[in-house]
Amino acid sequence: MEHLVFMPAGHHLPVGEFEMPAPVPTAEAVLGRYAASDACAAELLCDAHDPNATAFSIIEADLSSEHITYGQLRERSERGAAALAELGVGPGDTVATLMGKSADLVVMLLAIWRRGAVHVPLFTAFAWPAIELRLVASGAKVVITDADQREKIKNTTATIMVAGDQATAKDLALAPLLNAQQPGIPAEAVGGDGTLVMLFTSGTTGTPKGVLVPVRALAGFRQYIELGLDVREDDVFWNASDPGWAYGLYFGILGPLAAGRRTLLLHASFSPELSFAVLDLFKVTNFTAAPTVYRTMRAKSETMPKNLRLRRASSCGEPLTPEVVAWAEEVFGVPVRDHYGQTEHGMIIVNAWHDDVRKDVRPGSMGHPLPGWTCAVLKDGSDELAAVDEMGRVAVSVPESPMMWFTGYQDAPEKTAEHFTEDGRWYLTGDAGKTDADGYYYFSSRDDDLIIMAGYRIGPFDVESVLSTHPAVLESCVIGAPDELRGEVLEAFIVLKKGVTGTEQLVSELQNLVKTQYAAHAFPRRIHFVEDLPKTPSGKIQRYILRKQRASQ
């Protein structure tokens, strides 16, 4: 087993000086630790690390902060695990969290994994129908929620734990539960194939599907932290993404814990001014965020402090536009490097930062596959490799990718089959792209109509399903429309029932319906009332035709 070395908590090098990166183990060496039959998540993520090293710095809106060491995280999470055990939570049981980026969140995540239980993330912008679907599909036994999120949870058989110390007749208060426990509960080892997280993703048809993330996936998450982002032991690392989604959970919590790196969590709503203040006050050296964060920062450049310490800046979610890349290099002193991945894998093709794998960035390229991944572009309609510069389907070679852990969606064999070739040789990402003569990959589009807004993947079907509940709506179609700030926003085309007239009041009603019945961020910014929708002979709506019509206007 390899050994990790940590600086003492609070250790900082003089301004402008950084340690050279340590040699990075091979993909196979890293995988061995996490894929072992006796792999224990609590040990890998917490207990094996220096107890005096800082794991998280939790920052509040007023820029006050709380620093949690690995030792403190172990003690608190052992109390949390004991509390969960009293509630009957054991290996394989599911526990959902509806929480912001707080100390309580990271403590209870480790508590869940310490019990060998499965974490079900719930995004705090979700309304009850989206929450209910995930609770029912996962069979969550317990829901842990912040007090300001509690009112969203309606009817559920799950036990509800509310952060804070105020218990009610229906709920359990988290603080006294933990205080009543003693640390020292043994950590459960579920092995490398044991499930760590059940994270739901959605496509264009059907309901959201559950992705089961095993313990061995930590190997790939760690590789990306160390190679893709080049997070070093002396870095101040900040991933601004929300842990309710894959990039924030995998690489804002799991990856840094696996690598033993300190990371920042901002327990406040996003604003460019607050983000600038965090970068400045906490001397952030390694930063990653969705493109919309950089675009919003660019729009507020006049408020940005001088002399930031960034040495690495990265982005994931959608391709960065050239003007944002140029701006970032001018104001940060470093370029922002694009990275590509999926909920089903984590990050697989990146413009890596680490010296061992770093290559020159080419405009518009998402880089090369990380060690442990073998990718290709396949011709449309066949399993043959596409020619250089030929557009095709981005795919992962299953037998040649030891870091690959995704085997299928929970209880959705038909959906799973869509993503694998018949012989199982290739995993099809559902994205279109190409490669150049030097093996650089270029993303073109998504071929399954997913909308990526500010880094969040939104399935049109989810929003259309909500719109269809309005008594005035006959049918609807939702597409992504280009937006300078968010990358894409939702645009809806709606056929009204006979005798109904489209009005501004109806537009507002439909937007509010989506906000309250699905998610606050996923409402259509523009709504068009149309006579009919383009369809195939079998009746399937052809979203690509509407996108083409929209692009030509």
Side-chain angles (χ1 to χ4, degrees):
M1 180 178 293
E2 64 179 296
H3 296 281
L4 299 175
V5 180
F6 299 90
M7 288 187 176
H11 175 86
H12 296 286
L13 291 173
V15 174
E17 295 184 20
F18 297 95
E19 293 190 348
M20 294 300 292
V24 175
T26 64
E28 290 75 14
V30 175
L31 186 61
R33 295 188 63 192
Y34 302 99
S37 61
D38 61 348
C40 174
E43 179 183 358
L44 293 167
L45 297 173
C46 179
D47 301 354
H49 299 325
D50 180 351
N52 295 314
T54 300
F56 292 97
S57 295
I58 314 295
I59 304 167
E60 302 296 332
D62 62 0
L63 297 178
S64 62
S65 61
E66 175 187 2
H67 307 285
I68 304 175
T69 66
Y70 281 98
Q72 291 170 326
L73 187 56
R74 177 172 184 169
E75 189 268 345
R76 294 188 200 180
S77 66
E78 285 180 344
R79 292 177 183 271
L84 291 174
E86 281 197 354
L87 296 175
V89 174
D93 289 331
T94 49
V95 179
T97 59
L98 182 62
M99 307 175 77
K101 292 172 276 189
S102 64
D104 284 334
L105 172 65
V106 296
V107 165
M108 292 313 296
L109 289 183
L110 257 296
I112 293 168
W113 298 324
R114 195 173 290 282
R115 287 297 299 144
V118 179
H119 171 226
V120 181
L122 299 173
F123 184 38
T124 52
F126 278 149
W128 169 240
I131 294 170
E132 181 183 32
L133 183 150
R134 288 157 175 80
L135 293 182
V136 172
S138 67
K141 200 167 188 176
V142 174
V143 182
I144 309 170
T145 180
D146 289 334
D148 62 0
Q149 296 287 324
R150 174 61 182 91
E151 64 180 12
K152 291 182 178 179
I153 304 173
K154 308 300 181 183
N155 300 317
T156 179
T157 59
T159 301
I160 298 176
M161 300 172 67
V162 181
D165 54 13
Q166 299 299 314
T168 68
K170 294 182 178 181
D171 303 335
L172 300 172
L174 184 61
L177 276 177
L178 268 59
N179 291 337
Q181 306 299 324
Q182 293 297 319
I185 185 171
E188 297 284 347
V190 298
D193 291 327
T195 304
L196 197 68
V197 176
M198 182 186 294
L199 182 61
F200 284 81
T201 185
S202 59
T204 57
T205 59
T207 55
K209 305 298 187 295
V211 174
L212 301 182
V213 184
V215 172
R216 61 190 172 91
L218 293 172
F221 300 165
R222 174 176 173 172
Q223 283 287 79
Y224 175 65
I225 290 292
E226 294 182 327
L227 292 182
L229 299 179
D230 189 29
V231 181
R232 304 180 188 176
E233 292 176 8
D234 55 304
D235 264 326
V236 179
F237 172 60
W238 182 24
N239 179 345
S241 299
D242 194 286
W245 296 98
Y247 195 72
L249 178 62
Y250 294 173
F251 308 113
I253 294 180
L254 284 167
L257 285 176
R261 302 294 191 258
R262 171 200 178 194
T263 187
L264 309 183
L265 291 177
L266 178 59
H267 187 213
S269 299
F270 168 78
S271 76
E273 294 84 0
L274 181 56
S275 297
F276 287 145
V278 171
L279 290 171
D280 184 32
L281 182 63
F282 290 86
K283 298 180 173 59
V284 176
T285 59
N286 198 317
F287 179 62
T288 186
T292 188
V293 170
Y294 291 103
R295 287 192 289 266
T296 306
M297 286 181 168
R298 180 171 176 261
K300 296 288 185 178
S301 292
E302 69 279 1
T303 66
M304 192 173 76
K306 305 296 183 183
N307 302 317
L308 296 178
R309 294 185 80 235
L310 282 182
R311 67 174 191 85
R312 299 288 186 256
S314 307
S315 178
C316 172
E318 69 240 17
L320 284 169
T321 52
E323 64 271 15
V324 174
V325 175
W327 166 81
E329 188 158 13
E330 178 183 352
V331 300
F332 292 145
V334 294
V336 180
R337 288 189 165 223
D338 264 330
H339 302 254
Y340 168 83
Q342 294 187 317
T343 300
E344 294 88 341
H345 304 294
M347 307 309 293
I348 55 178
I349 303 174
V350 305
N351 286 293
W353 274 111
H354 193 280
D355 291 344
D356 287 356
V357 290
R358 185 165 67 239
K359 297 184 180 181
D360 292 339
V361 174
R362 294 187 179 177
S365 172
M366 55 193 185
H368 294 79
L370 275 167
W373 296 95
T374 299
C375 301
V377 175
L378 305 181
K379 291 178 178 289
D380 289 332
S382 81
D383 297 347
E384 296 180 17
L385 297 181
V388 170
D389 291 328
E390 178 185 2
M391 196 62 64
R393 300 170 296 158
V394 178
V396 177
S397 172
V398 176
E400 298 175 286
S401 299
M403 285 294 187
M404 183 169 176
W405 48 265
F406 176 75
T407 57
Y409 299 100
Q410 176 79 347
D411 300 325
E414 293 183 0
K415 183 68 174 178
T416 298
E418 294 175 8
H419 282 273
F420 289 90
T421 55
E422 289 188 11
D423 61 1
R425 170 77 170 80
W426 297 100
Y427 168 86
L428 307 174
T429 65
D431 292 324
K434 64 179 182 179
T435 59
D436 64 17
D438 296 316
Y440 282 81
Y441 282 74
Y442 297 81
F443 174 85
S444 173
S445 65
R446 296 166 304 283
D447 59 15
D448 62 355
D449 294 323
L450 268 179
I451 299 164
I452 299 181
M453 186 188 76
Y456 299 123
R457 289 177 173 257
I458 301 168
F461 178 83
D462 294 326
V463 180
E464 292 163 0
S465 297
V466 173
L467 291 171
S468 69
T469 65
H470 194 284
V473 174
L474 180 63
E475 58 181 352
S476 65
C477 176
V478 173
I479 65 171
D483 181 79
E484 182 177 352
L485 184 62
R486 301 174 184 87
E488 284 185 317
V489 294
L490 278 71
E491 192 161 340
F493 295 80
I494 293 177
V495 178
L496 297 173
K497 293 180 179 178
K498 189 175 181 179
V500 178
T501 302
T503 63
E504 287 301 316
Q505 180 180 345
L506 182 55
V507 169
S508 296
E509 288 180 15
L510 294 169
Q511 290 173 328
N512 288 330
L513 183 66
V514 174
K515 290 179 183 178
T516 58
Q517 296 301 307
Y518 178 58
H521 69 292
F523 71 94
R525 262 61 176 184
R526 291 183 286 274
I527 292 179
H528 308 278
F529 298 111
V530 296
E531 293 294 323
D532 52 34
L533 298 171
K535 298 178 181 177
T536 65
S538 64
K540 183 178 180 180
I541 294 174
Q542 296 173 300
R543 294 188 181 89
Y544 78 94
I545 293 179
L546 291 174
R547 288 197 294 268
K548 286 184 177 180
Q549 292 174 350
R550 176 68 176 77
S552 65
Q553 293 176 355

